[in-house]
Amino acid sequence: MQIRFFQEADRPFLRTLFLAARRSNWTWLKGDDWQLEDFDRVILGETVLVAEVDGHRAGFAGVLDNDNFLHSLYVDPAFQGQGVGSALLKAVQARFTGTGALKCLLLNVPAQRFYLQHGWQKVAQGESDQGKYLLMHYPLATRTSGT
């Protein structure tokens, strides 16, 4: 598996993955007005890392480096359970210069479980257009201790 930076040739696949993953996983939202181009808006100003497995794009993560904030992490369902999400998360965490942060939708229980298994901690709860979310942190001390 290779984790690399986004290239323009990735855009069509990642647009499709982003749209399909939200429709598949965020079942509590209508999503009738979601479009392929939503991906373009969401990643604006972010560093996007792409996971490739045997030449196939398998997922991506978008991070706001200056804020140590993981904004998005999506894995193609065909590659779930194969370590793609963990590899992307590890690459993102390696970019953090301080405590990492992310917001995980409260109704997205599998994602919460994933982040908790990787050393993230719940620190607060809030509300967004997509519903209630957990604010989670990844302490720098966790990264340096090798966990």
Side-chain angles (χ1 to χ4, degrees), residues 87-137:
L88 282 166
L89 187 58
K90 185 176 179 181
V92 166
Q93 290 168 175
R95 300 181 66 77
F96 292 157
T97 57
T99 297
L102 64 80
K103 293 177 182 175
C104 184
L105 293 173
L106 198 57
L107 293 175
N108 195 347
V109 176
Q112 288 177 47
R113 205 172 314 132
F114 171 77
Y115 293 119
L116 290 169
Q117 289 171 348
H118 286 84
W120 289 74
Q121 302 165 356
K122 300 176 188 178
V123 294
Q125 191 170 318
E127 184 125 13
S128 71
D129 292 342
Q130 292 86 29
K132 292 182 181 181
Y133 65 84
L134 290 174
L135 175 63
M136 302 179 85
H137 280 176

Side-chain angles (χ1 to χ4, degrees), residues 63-84:
V63 62
L64 294 163
D65 286 320
N66 291 341
D67 299 327
N68 294 312
F69 187 80
L70 173 59
H71 185 238
S72 53
L73 193 154
Y74 292 89
V75 176
D76 184 329
F79 290 94
Q80 289 180 356
Q82 298 180 34
V84 174

